[in-house]
Amino acid sequence: MLMLFAVVAGVLMTVASRKLAFRTGFLNYPNPIVAQHVLPVPYLGGVAVALAALATLGAGWFYPDLAPVPVVSPSPLLLVGSLSFLIFGLIDDAFPWSPFNKLFCQSGLALALLLAFHPGEVENTSYWLVLFMYVIWIVAVVNAVNFTDVCDGLVTGLCLVSLVAVAIVRPNHAF
């Protein structure tokens, strides 16, 4: 039942964010870089996904009988990190940055979040190596999703497939 709630929440949030983007003019207009856009494409899809995910998590917490497995509370790192990257993406949509500046800021944001929520043995060399690998992973995944964000619904569909795969492998973490 919670899966159905997630789908409905996703559709409703997408429709609402699309209308808001058109109403406010927060659109990606056709340009030579993204040639398949012949009409303006609304931004704010990430906001729709985030709101639908939060609504689904909230429904799972308040109504645990809706979920086939217990809903695991996300870590503060996941929530703060997701919100931070969402805000960064919105700023980049409104005021595009150069690729170098974007990678530099994304790496700094990932590092700051990891250090804030998982401080470790600073003298330990392997700690810094693992931290570096986490930063690379986070920035790679964020940009992999961002690179596929060229047509309406593609990112959501790809993320859905990925999350279904995670749900199959780790059913207790599905929601």
Side-chain angles (χ1 to χ4, degrees), residues 103 106 134-147:
L103 284 174
Q106 288 172 337
Y134 273 133
V135 168
I136 297 283
W137 174 251
I138 290 168
V139 172
V141 169
V142 165
N143 281 289
V145 170
N146 195 29
F147 288 153

Side-chain angles (χ1 to χ4, degrees), residues 78-99:
L78 181 63
L79 293 175
V80 171
S82 298
L83 180 62
S84 299
F85 275 96
L86 176 65
I87 291 169
F88 180 82
L90 288 171
I91 292 170
D92 180 52
D93 286 343
F95 311 101
W97 293 19
S98 72

Side-chain angles (χ1 to χ4, degrees), residues 106-118:
Q106 288 172 337
S107 299
L109 179 57
L111 180 63
L113 289 165
L114 288 168
L115 288 173
F117 285 94
H118 292 291

Side-chain angles (χ1 to χ4, degrees), residues 14-26 42-44 47:
T14 299
V15 169
S17 70
R18 183 177 170 81
K19 286 182 181 179
L20 179 63
F22 275 109
R23 189 173 301 138
T24 61
F26 198 49
Y43 286 126
L44 302 180
V47 173

